[in-house]
Amino acid sequence: MSFRLALTLLLSLVARSAQASPALPTPEFAPAPPPVRVLLVTTLGEITLELDAAAAPKTVENFLAYARDGHYNGTVFHRVIPGLLVQAGAFTPDLQQKPSRAPVPHEGGNGLSNRRGTVAAARDRGVLDSATSQFFFNLADNPKLDQTAPGDPYTAGYAVFGRVLQGLEVIDRIAAVPTGAEGPFAAWVPVVPVVIERVQVLDPLPASPAPAEEAAPVAEDAATP
C-alpha cells in the first residue's frame, strides 16, 4: 500500500470517528437569584435594603419570612453601640421579646464582610446556628465580626446578608440617640424608643435593557484633523 493511499484511509477513518462522536452537552448553570429590596419605615426615617440571596440564601429567606408575616412591625432598635452597630428585630417598645421561629444555619464566611452599611444576622455568640429574627447594621467597618475560622462559634463571625441602599443617614441618626440601662439590658438601650413601624418587601427592579449593538466604525476622512 502506497503512503498516499494509507494517509487517505487514515484521514477517512478520523473523519468518520469525529462524525460518530456525539457532541458534548453544553453545561448549564443555574442563574444567581436576583437581589431583593426591602423597605424599613422607622420613627427616624426610611431605610432601603438590598438582600443578597446568592451569598446567604437561608438567612435572606429567614428575614423575608419574618418581614412578610409582620413580625418586625412595631419592634424597636434595642441595642445601639456608637461606632459599632445598631441591633433590632425582636423586642417591643416595652422590651417584651416576641416569639421567634427555629434558628437558621450559620452562613458566615460567605464572601461578604461586616463593612459599614451592611446588615448581618445577630446570634448567640457561643452558639453557631442560633440566628432567628434579630439583625444588626454595621456603623463602621468591623472586620473583627467576620469569620476567621469556620466551625467554632467564637471565630465563625456573623453572617452578612445585605446592605443599605438608601437611608444610611437614618442608621447614623439611630446611633446618635442617647442610651442607658432598660428592662433586661444593662446598657445600650435607646432612652427614646426607635420603632420599626413597617417592613415591606419591594417589587424587583426592572431588568436593565440589553445593550444596543455597536455600529460599525465609520472611516475617517483623510482631510479631517
Side-chain angles (χ1 to χ4, degrees):
M1 181 183 297
S2 68
F3 173 77
R4 179 175 297 179
L5 179 58
L7 181 60
T8 301
L9 289 173
L10 178 61
L11 293 175
S12 175
L13 289 172
V14 170
R16 290 178 182 176
S17 175
Q19 291 175 356
S21 300
L24 293 176
T26 302
E28 296 183 2
F29 299 97
V36 181
R37 294 182 306 138
V38 177
L39 173 68
L40 276 67
V41 179
T42 81
T43 49
L44 289 182
E46 296 185 355
I47 305 163
T48 302
L49 307 180
E50 180 183 72
L51 307 184
D52 193 334
K58 296 183 185 301
T59 308
V60 168
E61 180 183 357
N62 179 66
F63 182 90
L64 293 176
Y66 281 109
R68 289 184 173 119
D69 73 7
H71 172 92
Y72 292 128
N73 300 348
T75 58
V76 296
F77 286 86
H78 64 275
R79 189 175 182 222
V80 172
I81 306 178
L84 186 66
L85 58 84
V86 297
Q87 185 171 332
F91 292 89
T92 59
D94 59 355
L95 297 180
Q96 298 299 308
Q97 187 166 5
K98 298 182 73 170
S100 61
R101 295 187 177 87
V104 294
H106 178 62
E107 293 184 311
N110 59 15
L112 303 180
S113 177
N114 282 273
R115 300 178 64 86
R116 172 171 164 79
T118 57
V119 57
R123 64 174 177 84
D124 185 331
R125 184 170 177 267
V127 182
L128 194 60
D129 299 330
S130 58
T132 56
S133 65
Q134 295 190 48
F135 59 92
F136 64 87
F137 294 105
N138 286 288
L139 296 173
D141 291 349
N142 292 318
K144 62 186 177 183
L145 300 182
D146 292 343
Q147 177 174 283
T148 57
D152 185 331
Y154 295 100
T155 58
Y158 295 84
V160 174
F161 64 96
R163 65 187 180 98
V164 175
L165 278 181
Q166 295 179 316
L168 192 54
E169 73 282 358
V170 177
I171 303 294
D172 291 334
R173 208 174 293 151
I174 296 169
V177 174
T179 63
E182 191 75 31
F185 303 106
W188 309 122
V189 181
V191 296
V192 176
V194 180
V195 181
I196 298 175
E197 298 176 335
R198 175 169 55 91
V199 175
Q200 177 183 350
V201 181
L202 301 176
D203 292 333
L205 290 171
S208 301
E213 293 185 4
E214 295 184 4
V218 178
E220 291 185 354
D221 191 317
T224 302

